[in-house]
């Protein structure tokens, strides 16, 4: 069996969190992979540049330069796909017509507040739809590797990067575990990596709680 990469593992577990009939916005990076793993569920993927009804990423020889998501990555469309302008798209988001937003993040604090748009010492092109999605989606799931390239945890006590909004996210799905946030505490819903609960708590450097029902 082909071993999945960390990014694919995260995307697969997030796909399992989605419910039949959900309208879902996928952010750039790892979130774009989620559409590969929805199986027979009917999920309506939306992108803020004006499309609902995205299919899985196309094969290289099937790419259409006119079909891209908000991160300019090529996409496919489903038979019932609809196109609209950016204003209509953001009205959907701000009007809370998006059931789930799946976003990447650079940092997540213990309350579930995220930073995902400003990278230190890098040019800033703008926040894009991040702040609207954090504020407007009914549920927000973060798709991210748990540790940075230098081994530090992206789960932190206090954000050191610019916040994407005061709204707290619901979940963080990583290659090691699925985390939930409640009243300033971090709960582990599921562990599916090769680190135990105690090892995760030690490496993250924050107190963790056992699974809760949601």
């Amino acid at each position: 069996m082909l071993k999945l990469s960390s990014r694919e593992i995260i995307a697969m577990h997030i796909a399992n969190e989605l419910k039949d009939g959900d309208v879902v916005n996928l952010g750039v990076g790892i979130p774009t992979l989620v559409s590969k793993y929805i199986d027979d569920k009917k999920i309506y993927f939306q992108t803020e540049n004006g499309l609902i009804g995205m299919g899985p990423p196309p094969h290289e020889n099937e790419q259409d330069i006119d079909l891209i998501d908000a991160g300019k990555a090529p996409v496919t469309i489903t038979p019932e796909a609809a196109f609209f302008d950016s204003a209509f798209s953001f009205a959907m988001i701000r009007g809370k017509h998006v059931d789930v937003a799946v976003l990447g993040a650079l940092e997540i604090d213990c309350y579930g507040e995220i930073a995902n748009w400003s990278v230190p010492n890098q040019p800033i092109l703008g926040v894009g739809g991040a702040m609207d999605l954090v504020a407007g989606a009914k549920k927000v799931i973060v798709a991210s590797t748990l540790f940075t390239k230098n081994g530090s945890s992206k789960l932190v006590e206090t954000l050191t990067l610019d916040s994407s909004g005061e709204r707290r996210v619901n979940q963080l799905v990583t290659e090691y575990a699925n985390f939930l946030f409640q009243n300033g505490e971090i709960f582990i819903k599921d562990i599916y990596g090769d680190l135990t609960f105690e090892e995760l708590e030690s490496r993250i450097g924050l107190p963790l709680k056992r699974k809760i029902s949601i």
Side-chain angles (χ1 to χ4, degrees), residues 75-178:
V75 298
T76 59
I77 58 173
T78 58
E80 69 274 19
F83 298 90
F84 33 82
D85 62 25
S86 182
F88 186 93
S89 185
F90 276 92
M92 288 182 63
I93 296 168
R94 295 168 185 172
K96 298 192 180 299
H97 301 292
V98 172
D99 296 302
V100 182
V102 184
L103 302 173
L106 301 168
E107 284 184 339
I108 311 97
D109 75 9
C110 58
Y111 291 92
E113 188 171 335
I114 69 169
N116 76 340
W117 65 277
S118 176
V119 181
N121 304 316
Q122 297 291 327
I124 298 175
L125 300 178
V127 297
M131 289 185 176
D132 285 281
L133 288 162
V134 168
K138 295 177 184 176
K139 180 178 182 179
V140 181
I141 301 174
V142 171
S144 176
T145 54
L146 184 54
F147 304 105
T148 65
K149 291 180 180 179
N150 65 12
S152 60
S153 173
K154 294 182 184 178
L155 264 174
V156 296
E157 185 173 4
T158 305
L159 295 182
T160 64
L161 303 175
D162 293 331
S163 173
S164 299
E166 64 179 14
R167 158 87 181 278
R168 276 49 167 165
V169 305
N170 300 88
Q171 290 175 255
L172 163 65
V173 179
T174 75
E175 71 273 42
Y176 292 104
N178 188 335

Side-chain angles (χ1 to χ4, degrees), residues 5-14 17 30 102-103 105 108 141-148 152-155 171-181 186-195 200 204 208:
S5 68
S6 295
R7 294 163 57 89
E8 299 279 353
I9 290 170
I10 294 166
M12 180 182 67
H13 284 291
I14 288 177
E17 296 286 329
I30 296 173
V102 184
L103 302 173
I108 311 97
I141 301 174
V142 171
S144 176
T145 54
L146 184 54
F147 304 105
T148 65
S152 60
S153 173
K154 294 182 184 178
L155 264 174
Q171 290 175 255
L172 163 65
V173 179
T174 75
E175 71 273 42
Y176 292 104
N178 188 335
F179 300 89
L180 306 171
F181 302 91
I186 305 169
F187 294 82
I188 291 185
K189 180 182 179 185
D190 294 298
I191 293 176
Y192 29 71
D194 55 4
L195 296 179
L200 282 168
I204 292 169
L208 302 176

Side-chain angles (χ1 to χ4, degrees), residues 51 64-69 73-77 83:
L51 167 64
D64 183 335
I65 61 173
D66 293 320
L67 294 177
I68 58 172
D69 62 19
V75 298
T76 59
I77 58 173
F83 298 90

